Amino acid sequence: MKNTLKITLIIGLIAIVFVGCEQKSPFPEIKNGANFVALPDPLPAAVTAANINTMTVTLANVASANMAFTTQSLNADEMSKVEAYASHIRGTVVTPAATTAAPHGVLVKALSSINGKEQIAVAELLTKTGMTAATLRANDRLRVRFVVTMKDGRVFSWQNSGPGINVNPLGTTFTPLLDVLLQ
């Protein structure tokens, strides 16, 4: 009788603990990341992983050239803004150098449309980076990095887009950068 009473009491206490506790999933809630893709407009004739994020401009046409691209997003309604930052790259030297205060380069503009066509004058990229057409050389790059701020405050950029995204530009759901290659 004592054993039956003890077992009943233990089962009752266990039931009270289970019923009285709030049940939470042991798995965290996964939120959507930034789905933002920027592609050169027009696309290269033969799209490859090596050229999907590069536009070529001749040095002779720098003053009149534009960096045109199309943007796409599946969750644009979750984004508060997408900003484009510029830097100049010659070999391994990046100007302006990334700092804690400006890790992406110099702000060029906030994009006006997340699902549409955008254009930035190459001359504006030069001005923002402190370069001039006379100081450019063949194989210099003007890099535009994209930074997406979600409505909940999370920020996505080249710094946290993940190795799979940077290595696979053809299959990505986030484009961290586009380059203007000067020839």
Side-chain angles (χ1 to χ4, degrees):
M1 176 91 172
K2 282 185 174 183
N3 285 340
T4 306
L5 184 59
K6 285 181 183 178
I7 291 173
T8 305
L9 186 58
I10 290 172
I11 291 173
L13 288 173
I14 291 172
I16 290 170
V17 167
F18 278 116
V19 172
C21 293
E22 182 181 337
Q23 297 293 320
K24 287 190 175 184
S25 171
F27 304 105
E29 181 182 341
I30 305 296
K31 295 184 178 185
N32 289 335
N35 178 287
F36 175 79
V37 177
L39 299 169
D41 187 18
L43 281 170
V47 176
T48 66
N51 71 5
I52 190 64
N53 67 346
T54 304
M55 295 162 238
T56 304
V57 172
T58 62
L59 287 171
N61 294 333
V62 166
S64 61
N66 288 310
M67 175 186 194
F69 54 96
T70 303
T71 61
Q72 303 166 356
S73 176
L74 297 177
N75 62 344
D77 59 328
E78 297 175 30
M79 297 176 192
S80 64
K81 64 182 174 180
V82 178
E83 295 175 319
Y85 291 80
S87 56
H88 170 265
I89 300 172
R90 179 175 289 153
T92 59
V93 177
V94 179
T95 307
T99 64
T100 305
H104 311 297
V106 178
L107 178 63
V108 176
K109 69 184 246 179
L111 300 187
S112 59
S113 173
I114 296 175
N115 281 310
K117 295 185 182 282
E118 289 284 338
Q119 186 169 287
I120 303 172
V122 173
E124 183 179 0
L125 296 175
L126 290 174
T127 301
K128 293 287 186 176
T129 59
M131 301 299 291
T132 64
T135 60
L136 295 174
R137 295 184 197 156
N139 296 319
D140 281 2
R141 289 180 181 265
L142 295 169
R143 177 159 290 166
V144 174
R145 295 185 193 270
F146 299 103
V147 179
V148 174
T149 303
M150 306 298 283
K151 288 183 179 174
D152 63 8
R154 293 176 297 141
V155 177
F156 292 88
S157 69
W158 64 277
Q159 293 177 309
N160 63 356
S161 59
I165 293 173
N166 289 327
V167 173
N168 185 13
L170 287 174
T172 185
T173 58
F174 183 74
T175 303
L177 60 90
L178 288 176
D179 280 345
V180 173
L181 175 62
L182 304 166
Q183 294 287 307

